[in-house]
Structure formats: structure tokens, C-alpha cells
Amino acid sequence: MRTLQVDLGERSYPIYIGGGLLSQAGDYFARHGLSAKSPVLIVTDDNVAPLHLKQVEESLRQAGYSTVVKIVPAGEKSKSLDVFEDVMTAAIEGGLDRKSAVVALGGGVVGDLAGFVAASYMRGVPFVQMPTTILAHDSSVGGKVAVNHRLAKNMIGAFYQPEMVLYDVDTLQTLPEREVRAGLAEVVKHGLIWDEAFTSWCREHTAELLALDPEALGYALTKGCEIKAHVVSRDERENGLRAILNLGHTIGHAIEAIAGYGEYLHGEAISIGMAAAALISVNRGADRSLYEETTSILRGFGLPTIMPEQLDEDKIIGAMMHDKKFKEQQLVFILPKSIGKVEIVSDVKVEEVRRVIRELKEEGQHV
Amino acid sequence: MRTLQVDLGERSYPIYIGGGLLSQAGDYFARHGLSAKSPVLIVTDDNVAPLHLKQVEESLRQAGYSTVVKIVPAGEKSKSLDVFEDVMTAAIEGGLDRKSAVVALGGGVVGDLAGFVAASYMRGVPFVQMPTTILAHDSSVGGKVAVNHRLAKNMIGAFYQPEMVLYDVDTLQTLPEREVRAGLAEVVKHGLIWDEAFTSWCREHTAELLALDPEALGYALTKGCEIKAHVVSRDERENGLRAILNLGHTIGHAIEAIAGYGEYLHGEAISIGMAAAALISVNRGADRSLYEETTSILRGFGLPTIMPEQLDEDKIIGAMMHDKKFKEQQLVFILPKSIGKVEIVSDVKVEEVRRVIRELKEEGQHV
Ligand SMILES: NC(=O)c1ccc[n+]([C@@H]2O[C@H](COP(=O)([O-])OP(=O)(O)OC[C@H]3O[C@@H](n4cnc5c(N)ncnc54)[C@H](O)[C@@H]3O)[C@@H](O)[C@H]2O)c1
Ligand SMILES: NC(=O)c1ccc[n+]([C@@H]2O[C@H](COP(=O)([O-])OP(=O)(O)OC[C@H]3O[C@@H](n4cnc5c(N)ncnc54)[C@H](O)[C@@H]3O)[C@@H](O)[C@H]2O)c1
Ligand SMILES: [Zn+2]
Ligand SMILES: [Zn+2]
């Protein structure tokens, strides 16, 4: 079992990464001083519930906690204000009070949704993350919680840190293969923005990671969390440095939004976004190998790196205008300088983005 | 013009109280460094808009700010997730970015709603309060923002501090008389919890306050804000002391909820709640004069102090169970000890509350 401390002053919290953690949930709750007099709300989705809910419930009950469960439909569509309201209803009807914990048992969708519930229920109650996807190594660090607005992703939310993260890697064994690949996109991203050696390690261990080898997975998730925690602890509310975590996300979010939430997995969309960012850098003078290497690693994980023909250029641009990175009428982009190094560039012109959209569509025709 | 600093470390902010402030809004924005490159969203209601919106818009425009306006229906019903979503839509469509300010121009309803929008839009943007009711002297201090859930009031929200509060007392001249009385209930509350001398002052200046005499009003609002700011700065997130601000609110909120939001004004409901709290204290051994004095001041302002016959006892009790003050299955109450002094009591039995509900209904039959 690995423990990682996310260092945020009085909002610091630990991430426990290892096997068999869900069945020890009750112990961890007690150790963290969470009130056993107050009902605990477990939020999960209808894929995860039949697989992993029971052991969490049992462990909590054995430790003297009463539980209320809210199962939401699986998928990005549950990150809506409507489902948010449903979860609030469950919390009120379940008698949650100000000392009650809200648990997110699931992937990033459940984490973001339940996290915003925890942030907002009675103006804030304790929050515990139990990630069950690879991608959630990312969403469980940094305290960003949110739901989507129909016009733009993650538009409504908060910065809200959990009490702890219980990351039981055993749960990942039941994850569909497509989700495994998509989740690894964020792991690769953490290498690309910060750590050339870790990026090489990912390339060399692609097969083990895709096979969910526990040792490789444990290492990669810890490393990914570590890089993110490092960046976040220097810039909790995204005033500067933290923006580098958005490599691939400006275009990625636009792809997700216009294709309809859920059509592309988040990891797939940002994989295309990372390819696009590398190509913008190349068009600005970087060596073409930067783009080649980036896309070759991503393709190694079975991730997409071309722009799908059916995604309309104007719509992609339009969706980007709503993005939070569109600051004071300027387009802010995270661009790679070399593998393991990025920069925040605030003068990217819309025309540059249009160009790589077209170029990445052409790439598709060569495949 | 009076200036009051609310002291909350790096979240400190000033409250400006005086005449003619709305037409200087642009100057204050510039002085506080709010971005003129980013559109400002003004949230107001359909009563306030025709009376006071124009001068704010003009002043902001003159200072170089572009504005987006969202007018919501007047009344408590706008503190809903549905209206919250509408305001979010306006913010996105208006192109607000992370440096955009959200302005609440109106009473407590607009303040709480727009405040929660500011707290949640892109996970938090600058917030400016421009209160236009007397009651809003209360809601503009302390950073509590929220919308209601159909099952309970203020259930969904955040702690979020404004950049500044511009309290233009000239706007109060257009306030309906019933709203004036209800607003003064919170002013009286601030005296009752903290300051015997100020309570006496309120009793002696009842006529001036009801006549909206600018000097008396300016003094009372400053004093009310001051008391609240003092309490809040010692306990920003309501872990202890801050609870005393809830004098009259446990029963008051229950009355508002079961009568249907909007039937009783907030100030009217807490006036009954303060009478009830005093009577619980008397039933626990305090001198009956505590109850007599409390209700005589409130009645002087034309506020209700009896329990309306049509409000069902069981429903009131049921609604209280959802209240945030219902902590770990115990009923926490704020009870007066003497005029200007209260205590937080955590062992109030449901039976004691039932008794005062009945007693306050009987009072009604003597009138
Ligand atoms: N808050 C942040 O900082 C942050 C960071 C990155 C991504 N995100 C968000 O995370 C979301 C994507 O997360 P995700 O990819 O985990 O999506 P997800 O939560 O939808 O999970 C993916 C799918 O896998 C299923 N699943 C989850 N765990 C499983 C398991 N152990 N076994 C079998 N099936 C399982 C889910 O039911 C779902 O169908 C997006 O909404 C994204 O915006 C947030
Ligand atoms: N956040 C807090 O700390 C806090 C504290 C106390 C109350 N509140 C909330 O405040 C709300 C009540 O506030 P309120 O009494 O100001 O209600 P309100 O905002 O509904 O205003 C009362 C009425 O007066 C009208 N109005 C407002 N200003 C006017 C003006 N200058 N001229 C003419 N009409 C005007 C409004 O349109 C409305 O019809 C409740 O929702 C309560 O929960 C919040
Ligand atoms: Zn991401
Ligand atoms: Zn109040």
C-alpha cells in the first residue's frame, strides 16, 4: 500500500493506493474521525454498484456507520444539475447532517458529481473519494468538482478537497478495456507535462499497464497522482501553474461537447487534444519529432490522435469560446516544448487552431 | 458614507453604507481592481430592475465595463436550482470569464442566488453585493449563499465572500412597508443576541426607523452589519459562535417551509421564531419579562409574535428535523438568557418545542 500526502495547508489530505482498501473503508473512516452518529451517503453509478458497493457498505456498517446509497445512471450525462438535485434529495431524505460524509464510489463522473454535492450540501460536508477508474487518479487530486451545463462542460462547481482518497486498485480489474485505455491517457498526460523519464517508463510499460499488472499500475497511478498533487499544491485555485494540467483539454473539451457528452470518452478526447497541441507547437517552430513522439506513445495505448472527419471545424471553435481557458477574450493554450515540458501560451490565434483541426483530419485520410 | 471592514483574513472585504452609491458603482469597481475586459453580470429581480437597475448599468458603462443583465422573478421562489440554472445560462451566453464579476442588485433572495452563482460559475468568480432591502444588511455579511431545495431552505450553497458590498440606502425608499418591517426584524435580532443598549435604541427609534429616516436607518444598518461581522469574523464557517445568529431561525425556517416559501416573509417568520425561543427560555426558568420585552419590541415594529392557528404542529416539527441545526440527531437551539445575550443549547426536546407552539397559538386567541 502506498500513501501520498496532498499538501494544501489545512486542507491537506492523504491518498491511499493499494489492493483490498474498500473492505477496510470503515477503519479508515474511524481513523479519520468521521462521525459515526451521522448517516453516510454513498454515491455510485449503476455499473459500479453491483461490482463494488457491497464491500464498502459492509465495511462501513461493521465500523458502526449507517449508510444511505444513491445510485445514478452511469456516464457523463449524470454530471447534470438534474442528477445533482436528485442526489441532494437523497441526502435530505436520508437525514444527512453537517457531519455526514459524502462518498464518491466510482469514476470521475461520480467523483465530480458527489464532490459538488459534498461542497454544496448544507454549504459543505466531509467528502471521501473512492476512485474505481484509472482516469479518476486524476480527478481525485486537486479538489475540482463540478457538473456540466448543457452549453459547456464543468461550468458549475467548486474547489473542494476530500478528507481522504481510498484508491483500491483491485476495482480496476472490472474496468472495460476502452475505459482502461482512456484512463491511461491522463497518466501519459502527467508524464508529458512534467516528467520525461516517467513518459519513457510509460512507453516501455505500455503492455503491462494495458494488462492491468498490479505492480505497474500501482506505480503509474502513484506517479500520476504525485505529479498532479505537486502542481496543485503550488496553485490550488488555478491562478497560474495549475493550468498546465489542461494539456489537450481545450480542444478535448470542445470535442466532448459538440459530439454530445459521452460519445467520446474524456481520455480519448484529450488524446486528440494532446496531438493537436503538439502539432500547434510544431507549426510554431518546434521539431516535428515532438508531434511524432507524442502521438506514437498515445497510439501505443490504442488512443485516437486524429481529428474525426464528422466533427465540424466551426463547431469545435465555437465550443472552445465557452471554455474557461478563454480568458479576457484571449485564447490560452498549453503547448508542449519538449517531452516532459510544457508552456502556457496566451496568444494562440483561432486560425492556428483551425489549421491543426484540418491537418489532423487529413492525417485521418492517410490511415 | 460609512465604511465597515469585515475582517476575514485574505477574504476580508468592505461594506460601504450611504446614499447615492449605486451611481458611483463604476468607480468602486475600478478602485477594487475588477476587470473591465470581462463582462459583468448583474442579477436583479423584476421589482428592483425598473427602480434601480439603470443607474448601476450606466455607472458601470461609464467606467468602461460591459454588462449582461439577468432579471429573475421577485420572491423566494427564485432561490431554486431551476432559476440558478437560468442565471448560469445567462452567464455563459453573456460570455462571462473567470475574471467577470457577478453583481447581486436586490434583496436577500437575489443576494443568495447570485452569490451561489458567483461561487459556482467556473468554480468561483468575483462577487459584488448591492443590497436594496433592509433585510439584506444581514445577508450581505457572512458569505452565506444558497438556493432552496423543495424539502428544506438554504440546503444547497456555499460560503463565499464578496469583493465588496455597496449598500445604497436611497434604494430603501422604494421598499414596500411590509418589507421594511420584516427587514427590521433582523436588525432587532442583532440587538437581541449581542447588544442590550442597541436593542433599547431600536425600541426608542422605532418610529424613525419605520419612517425610513436616513440618519436612523444608516446607524441601525451599520450597527446590525457590525454585530454580524463581529460574530462572523470569529467563526467564518459556523463551527460555534456563529450559530447565535440563528436566533429565531430554527422555528422560523420551519414556518417558511411548511407555509410555502413566500407566504411569510423571512423577517416575519423569524419574529415568531424569536418569540418562541424566548418562551422556551421562560419555560426553562427565565423571567417571564424576557418574553414580554422581546415580543413588545417586535410588535412595536408591527411584526407577528403569535403562532398562526393554521400551521400544523406536526408539520412544523417535521420541517425542523431537516434543519441544519439538527446536528447528530440532537436539536440545537439558540435561546435568550437576557436582552442582548443568548446561549447555544443542544438539549432542547421536541416536547418543549411542541409546548411553545401550542402556547403561541393560544396567545393568538387572546388578541
Ligand atoms: N475533477 C477533476 O479534476 C477531473 C479530472 C479529470 C477528469 N474529470 C472528469 O472525470 C470524468 C471522467 O471520468 P471517468 O473516465 O472515470 O468516467 P466515469 O466515471 O464515467 O467511468 C467510466 C465508466 O466506467 C464505469 N466504471 C467505473 N468504475 C468501474 C469499475 N471499477 N468496473 C467497471 N466499470 C466501471 C462507469 O460506470 C462508467 O461507465 C469526466 O466527467 C471528467 O470531466 C475530472
Ligand atoms: N445569506 C444570508 O446570510 C441571509 C441572511 C438573512 C436572510 N437571507 C435570505 O434573504 C432572503 C430574504 O431577503 P429579502 O427580505 O431582502 O427578500 P427579497 O430579496 O425577496 O426582497 C423582498 C421584496 O422586496 C422587493 N424589493 C427589493 N428591494 C426593493 C426596493 N429597493 N424597492 C422595492 N422593492 C424592493 C423584492 O423584489 C422582493 O419582492 C431569504 O431568502 C433569506 O433566506 C440570507
Ligand atoms: Zn482531464
Ligand atoms: Zn435571517
Side-chain angles (χ1 to χ4, degrees):
Chain A
M1 214 265 300
R2 294 171 163 98
T3 305
L4 188 77
Q5 186 72 9
V6 182
D7 192 11
L8 292 166
E10 57 176 25
R11 288 181 299 283
S12 296
Y13 63 92
I15 303 179
Y16 304 105
I17 303 179
L21 289 174
L22 290 192
S23 54
Q24 302 167 49
D27 297 345
Y28 281 92
F29 264 59
R31 204 184 306 164
H32 278 265
L34 290 163
S35 165
K37 291 191 219 150
S38 306
V40 172
L41 174 66
I42 304 171
V43 182
T44 187
D45 74 29
D46 53 16
N47 286 337
V48 177
L51 299 167
H52 305 293
L53 175 59
K54 208 169 159 191
Q55 48 184 326
V56 178
E57 275 191 289
E58 273 174 10
S59 170
L60 286 174
R61 278 191 201 144
Q62 269 166 23
Y65 292 86
S66 68
T67 56
V68 180
V69 173
K70 175 69 192 179
I71 300 174
V72 303
E76 185 73 24
K77 292 204 170 79
S78 278
K79 270 176 64 174
S80 69
L81 274 179
D82 284 348
V83 177
F84 173 78
E85 184 163 19
D86 289 346
V87 181
M88 284 289 176
T89 304
I92 297 171
E93 289 178 345
L96 265 75
D97 62 42
R98 304 174 84 186
K99 295 198 168 180
S100 287
V102 173
V103 175
L105 174 67
V109 164
V110 164
D112 283 8
L113 169 69
F116 189 43
V117 169
S120 314
Y121 183 72
M122 294 182 170
R123 302 194 185 87
V125 295
F127 176 42
V128 174
Q129 292 253 35
M130 300 188 186
T132 66
T133 66
I134 293 176
L135 189 133
H137 87 279
D138 183 27
S139 54
S140 64
V141 182
K144 280 192 181 181
V145 296
V147 296
N148 301 321
H149 187 281
R150 79 191 140 73
L151 296 175
K153 223 178 115 73
N154 292 331
M155 219 52 176
I156 304 171
F159 286 94
Y160 200 69
Q161 306 297 343
E163 300 295 311
M164 64 174 152
V165 178
L166 275 186
Y167 206 154
D168 187 338
V169 294
D170 292 347
T171 62
L172 303 174
Q173 298 297 329
T174 59
L175 204 59
E177 195 193 312
R178 190 176 163 200
E179 297 293 345
V180 170
R181 294 180 196 279
L184 289 167
E186 296 271 11
V187 174
V188 171
K189 182 200 76 180
H190 286 125
L192 289 174
I193 62 170
W194 199 259
D195 192 329
E196 191 185 355
F198 178 53
T199 310
S200 302
W201 183 95
C202 286
R203 189 213 309 270
E204 287 153 22
H205 294 78
T206 302
E208 288 96 319
L209 289 171
L210 287 173
L212 298 174
D213 170 74
E215 187 45 39
L217 212 50
Y219 175 76
L221 294 177
T222 306
K223 198 79 196 169
C225 288
E226 221 168 71
I227 293 171
K228 177 148 187 194
H230 186 78
V231 172
V232 167
S233 66
R234 292 184 179 189
D235 177 21
E236 188 177 356
R237 294 185 72 92
E238 194 161 353
N239 296 312
L241 180 70
R242 184 168 175 157
I244 69 170
L245 297 167
N246 291 319
L247 175 67
H249 280 59
T250 306
I251 290 180
H253 283 164
I255 292 174
E256 286 180 272
I258 68 157
Y261 291 131
E263 181 61 25
Y264 288 86
L265 296 181
H266 179 68
E268 293 165 350
I270 67 156
S271 178
I272 301 171
M274 288 189 279
L279 198 51
I280 294 175
S281 288
V282 170
N283 290 341
R284 288 181 155 225
D287 195 278
R288 191 162 172 92
S289 65
L290 179 61
Y291 166 72
E292 308 286 0
E293 279 186 48
T294 302
T295 53
S296 119
I297 297 168
L298 292 168
R299 279 197 304 268
F301 285 100
L303 289 161
T305 58
I306 59 147
M307 187 65 70
E309 194 54 56
Q310 71 273 21
L311 294 185
D312 183 73
E313 184 183 316
D314 290 334
K315 283 196 187 153
I316 298 175
I317 300 290
M320 276 172 41
M321 300 295 158
H322 288 310
D323 195 279
K324 290 185 284 298
K325 267 67 71 186
F326 187 58
K327 202 172 182 173
E328 291 184 350
Q329 318 300 320
Q330 292 219 41
L331 215 49
V332 181
F333 249 86
I334 314 306
L335 295 182
K337 280 171 83 84
S338 61
I339 300 293
K341 237 182 182 151
V342 291
E343 57 186 345
I344 305 173
V345 177
S346 56
D347 65 347
V348 173
K349 310 226 164 28
V350 168
E351 194 36 58
E352 292 178 78
V353 182
R354 289 188 180 275
R355 177 177 164 192
V356 301
I357 292 173
R358 287 191 295 263
E359 288 173 345
L360 285 178
K361 283 187 174 179
E362 274 165 35
E363 288 284 319
Q365 286 152 5
H366 304 316
V367 182
Chain B
M1 214 265 299
R2 294 171 164 99
T3 305
L4 187 78
Q5 185 73 8
V6 181
D7 191 12
L8 292 165
E10 58 177 24
R11 288 181 299 285
S12 296
Y13 62 91
I15 303 179
Y16 305 104
I17 303 178
L21 289 174
L22 290 192
S23 54
Q24 301 167 50
D27 297 344
Y28 280 92
F29 264 59
R31 203 185 306 164
H32 278 265
L34 290 164
S35 164
K37 290 191 221 151
S38 306
V40 172
L41 173 67
I42 305 172
V43 182
T44 188
D45 73 28
D46 53 16
N47 286 336
V48 177
L51 298 167
H52 305 294
L53 174 59
K54 208 170 160 189
Q55 49 184 324
V56 178
E57 275 190 288
E58 273 175 10
S59 171
L60 286 174
R61 279 194 200 142
Q62 268 166 23
Y65 292 86
S66 68
T67 56
V68 181
V69 174
K70 175 70 191 179
I71 300 175
V72 303
E76 185 73 24
K77 292 204 170 78
S78 278
K79 269 177 65 174
S80 70
L81 275 178
D82 284 349
V83 177
F84 172 78
E85 184 163 18
D86 288 346
V87 181
M88 284 289 176
T89 306
I92 297 171
E93 289 178 346
L96 265 76
D97 63 41
R98 303 175 85 186
K99 296 199 168 178
S100 287
V102 173
V103 175
L105 174 68
V109 163
V110 163
D112 283 8
L113 170 69
F116 189 43
V117 169
S120 314
Y121 183 73
M122 294 183 170
R123 302 194 183 87
V125 294
F127 176 42
V128 174
Q129 292 252 35
M130 301 187 187
T132 66
T133 66
I134 292 176
L135 189 132
H137 88 279
D138 183 27
S139 54
S140 63
V141 182
K144 280 191 179 181
V145 296
V147 296
N148 302 322
H149 187 281
R150 79 190 138 74
L151 295 174
K153 221 178 117 73
N154 292 332
M155 217 53 175
I156 304 171
F159 286 94
Y160 200 70
Q161 306 297 343
E163 300 295 311
M164 65 173 151
V165 178
L166 275 186
Y167 207 155
D168 187 338
V169 295
D170 291 347
T171 62
L172 304 174
Q173 298 296 330
T174 58
L175 204 57
E177 195 193 313
R178 190 176 163 199
E179 297 292 346
V180 170
R181 294 180 196 278
L184 289 167
E186 296 271 13
V187 175
V188 170
K189 183 200 77 180
H190 286 125
L192 288 173
I193 63 170
W194 199 259
D195 193 330
E196 192 185 354
F198 177 53
T199 311
S200 302
W201 184 93
C202 286
R203 191 213 308 270
E204 285 153 22
H205 295 78
T206 301
E208 287 97 319
L209 289 171
L210 287 173
L212 298 174
D213 171 75
E215 186 47 37
L217 212 51
Y219 176 75
L221 293 177
T222 306
K223 197 81 195 168
C225 288
E226 221 168 70
I227 293 171
K228 177 148 187 192
H230 187 78
V231 172
V232 166
S233 66
R234 292 183 180 190
D235 177 21
E236 189 179 354
R237 293 187 73 93
E238 194 162 352
N239 295 312
L241 180 71
R242 185 169 174 157
I244 69 171
L245 298 168
N246 290 319
L247 176 67
H249 280 60
T250 306
I251 291 179
H253 282 164
I255 292 173
E256 287 181 271
I258 68 159
Y261 292 131
E263 181 62 25
Y264 288 87
L265 297 181
H266 180 67
E268 293 165 351
I270 67 156
S271 178
I272 301 171
M274 289 190 277
L279 197 51
I280 293 175
S281 288
V282 170
N283 289 341
R284 289 182 154 224
D287 196 278
R288 189 160 174 93
S289 65
L290 179 61
Y291 167 71
E292 307 286 0
E293 278 186 49
T294 302
T295 52
S296 118
I297 297 169
L298 293 168
R299 279 197 304 268
F301 285 100
L303 289 161
T305 58
I306 59 148
M307 185 65 69
E309 193 55 55
Q310 71 274 20
L311 294 185
D312 183 72
E313 184 183 317
D314 290 334
K315 283 195 187 153
I316 298 175
I317 299 292
M320 276 171 43
M321 300 295 159
H322 288 311
D323 195 280
K324 290 185 285 299
K325 267 67 73 186
F326 187 57
K327 200 173 181 173
E328 292 185 348
Q329 319 299 319
Q330 292 217 41
L331 215 47
V332 181
F333 248 87
I334 314 306
L335 296 182
K337 282 170 83 82
S338 61
I339 300 294
K341 237 184 182 150
V342 291
E343 57 187 345
I344 304 173
V345 177
S346 56
D347 65 346
V348 172
K349 311 228 164 26
V350 168
E351 194 36 59
E352 292 178 78
V353 182
R354 289 191 180 275
R355 178 176 163 192
V356 302
I357 292 172
R358 287 192 295 265
E359 288 173 346
L360 285 178
K361 283 188 175 179
E362 275 166 34
E363 289 284 317
Q365 285 154 7
H366 304 316
V367 182

